[in-house]
Amino acid sequence: MNIHNASWVRQDIIAASPRPAAQGGVAEWARKNLFNGWLSTLLTVASVTIVVWMAMALAPWLSNSIWRANSLAECRQILDGASGACWGVIRDRWPQLLFGFYPPHLYWRPVLTFALLIAALAPILFRAIPQRALWFSAVYPGFAYWLIWGGSLWFPVAVYCGVVVAAGLLYLTARVSRGLAVASATVGAALWWTYAVQLVSALADDVLPIALTPVASREIGGFLLSIIIGVTGIALSLPLGILLALGRRSSLPLIHLLSVTFIEFIRGVPLITLLFTASLLLNYFLPPGTNFDLILRVVIMVTLFASAYMAEVIRGGLAALPRGQYEAAEALGLDYWKAQRLVILPQALKISIPGIVNSFIGLFKDTTLVMFIGLLDPIALAAAIRANTDWQGIYWELFIFIGAVFFVFCFGMSRYSIHLERRLKTDHR
């Protein structure tokens, strides 16, 4: 039997019909999404009313914006009694909001540091960048420290040599015992950083002096300070959080107890308390004469605070994995660290991406708390600008601008999180 001759098989193709007019277009979308029932209609009308009311209230204020003025009195003179925004304060104090009291003739150093930060993050964030560029991401922290704080180039180089010492000890003792290798590498690096860094950097500086003009930490402020604390805390809290999450799930009682104690203690203490501890109390526990930079102390405390929350986010990802994944890694003959690195953590981190980025955003916004310990973040600088006789009485323009800059950074992190989720297809485990 020839199937093409059967009467129930269509021999011609029907032309495509246009979509019914009532099932498409803006009107149909609005009916389905904005006016689908009395409650939806009520909420839509209320929302539109609020938005229109806010737009009508703000439009005169924004439309009469003054961008060129050297004081609030000059702004008011130009406005001549009308309502208007005085953005001249942003134009007048723009460098101060960006760099704090950093020497103006050295602005090129933080600008270059920020440009190199983008180059260092690119191979980490985007797969299209060749992975060979990761070597620059590794050396960037030391180079950025040298550019911002100045001084001898050999100091960050000597600090990096501590990593080389640790890697050498790890390689030499790994064949004897893995625990001994980790212990010897940790002790060797600590001894190098404690006793050898200053000596080696001083000797190298005598032979080949390469230095920039030093800049004190008290002169660093504004968004430069927020970015330093935020980026450093984000970069360090993720690996620490992974180790703490693994420690909390460890079967070794001592590791488990230490991890749980640290996480619960840090989560139970407000960040502002840790910042006051870093500012006032930490020097009492250090040897007399120790000069421990305040920004470094703040970075350590912010990192510890964020790593405790990060550990719980990653622990949630580890708990979400089915038991079969752990058993599959054991069936492949992988040891603990290979199983975590190759099988468990890639899946757990993929699940935890929204929580991880949420912690990053919270950490970046929490950098504004450093104003309470005397550091000049953008909020503290806004208070200082408002205390000046030229701009005394200005309020909304400064905080709207600072909030807008923070929004740009946080929204960028949020959008990258969405991009990463789509690239990794987190809905398909």
Side-chain angles (χ1 to χ4, degrees):
M1 178 181 177
N2 187 354
I3 192 170
H4 295 291
N5 295 329
S7 58
W8 42 270
V9 176
R10 182 180 293 277
Q11 299 297 316
D12 54 342
I13 299 177
I14 299 177
S17 301
R19 184 173 55 185
Q23 296 184 7
V26 177
E28 180 63 15
W29 179 88
R31 189 188 67 79
K32 288 183 178 178
N33 295 280
L34 302 178
F35 303 101
N36 185 18
W38 68 269
L39 180 59
S40 176
T41 303
L42 180 63
L43 292 175
T44 300
V45 172
S47 301
V48 171
T49 303
I50 293 173
V51 171
V52 171
W53 176 77
M54 292 180 65
M56 292 179 65
L58 290 176
W61 188 70
L62 291 173
S63 62
N64 290 330
S65 297
I66 304 298
W67 288 93
R68 292 182 178 276
N70 295 319
S71 66
L72 184 58
E74 187 178 347
C75 260
R76 288 172 176 169
Q77 186 179 6
I78 297 173
L79 288 171
D80 194 20
S83 176
C86 186
W87 299 109
V89 64
I90 305 300
R91 186 173 178 272
D92 186 46
R93 299 304 179 98
W94 169 259
Q96 195 174 355
L97 288 170
L98 284 185
F99 306 111
F101 295 101
Y102 208 87
H105 66 286
L106 300 178
Y107 281 167
W108 65 271
R109 282 160 50 175
V111 172
L112 178 61
T113 305
F114 186 74
L116 294 177
L117 171 65
I118 298 173
L121 290 177
I124 299 173
L125 299 181
F126 302 105
R127 194 164 46 182
I129 306 298
Q131 295 300 298
R132 294 191 300 273
L134 284 173
W135 69 268
F136 181 72
S137 305
V139 302
Y140 172 78
F143 193 62
Y145 170 83
W146 181 59
L147 279 177
I148 292 177
W149 273 273
S152 174
L153 173 64
W154 299 112
F155 178 74
V157 172
V159 172
Y160 271 88
C161 287
V163 180
V164 176
V165 170
L169 291 173
L170 190 68
Y171 176 78
L172 292 175
T173 55
R175 297 180 180 178
V176 179
S177 168
R178 182 165 298 177
L180 176 64
V182 174
S184 62
T186 305
V187 173
L191 291 175
W192 176 273
W193 288 329
T194 305
Y195 297 106
V197 166
Q198 294 290 349
L199 179 63
V200 171
S201 61
L203 291 175
D205 200 43
D206 290 339
V207 175
L208 182 62
I210 303 175
L212 293 174
T213 304
V215 176
S217 292
R218 63 178 180 277
E219 297 177 337
I220 298 174
F223 288 105
L224 174 62
L225 178 64
S226 297
I227 292 175
I228 290 174
I229 298 174
V231 172
T232 310
I234 287 172
L236 296 179
S237 64
L238 181 58
L240 280 176
I242 292 174
L243 292 177
L244 287 170
L246 294 177
R248 183 155 192 170
R249 292 174 59 87
S250 174
S251 58
L252 300 176
L254 180 60
I255 301 296
H256 176 78
L257 179 63
L258 291 175
S259 301
V260 170
T261 303
F262 176 83
I263 292 171
E264 297 302 332
F265 173 75
I266 294 293
R267 288 203 305 167
V269 178
L271 177 58
I272 190 65
T273 305
L274 296 177
L275 293 178
F276 276 118
T277 302
S279 173
L280 303 174
L281 301 179
L282 200 58
N283 274 342
Y284 290 104
F285 300 98
L286 297 174
T290 303
N291 184 18
F292 204 16
D293 189 85
L294 179 57
I295 293 181
L296 179 59
R297 280 181 271 165
V298 168
V299 166
I300 291 174
M301 286 301 179
V302 169
T303 301
L304 295 179
F305 185 81
S307 62
Y309 285 88
M310 190 66 63
E312 289 302 283
V313 171
I314 296 171
R315 189 171 69 90
L318 292 171
L321 290 181
R323 180 64 190 165
Q325 296 297 317
Y326 295 88
E327 294 173 352
E330 294 175 359
L332 291 173
L334 301 177
D335 60 19
Y336 176 79
W337 289 109
K338 284 186 178 179
Q340 297 298 329
R341 181 167 59 88
L342 300 175
V343 178
I344 305 301
L345 281 178
Q347 300 180 75
L349 292 176
K350 189 172 72 171
I351 298 171
S352 308
I353 286 174
I356 290 173
V357 176
N358 191 43
S359 298
F360 286 167
I361 291 175
L363 186 154
F364 186 66
K365 291 191 295 184
D366 284 345
T367 58
T368 54
L369 291 175
V370 300
M371 67 170 290
F372 293 109
I373 58 173
L375 291 179
L376 296 173
D377 79 309
I379 302 296
L381 284 173
I385 292 171
R386 292 175 59 234
N388 187 277
T389 53
D390 288 339
W391 297 108
Q392 194 170 23
I394 201 160
Y395 188 80
W396 289 104
E397 291 84 348
L398 282 170
F399 292 111
I400 288 175
F401 171 75
I402 293 170
V405 174
F406 270 98
F407 174 78
V408 169
F409 280 100
C410 296
F411 185 69
M413 286 190 274
S414 174
R415 298 307 299 176
Y416 178 76
S417 167
I418 294 173
H419 162 74
L420 195 60
E421 289 179 46
R422 289 175 180 170
R423 195 180 80 186
L424 298 178
K425 298 180 180 177
T426 54
D427 54 338
H428 295 87
R429 298 178 188 175

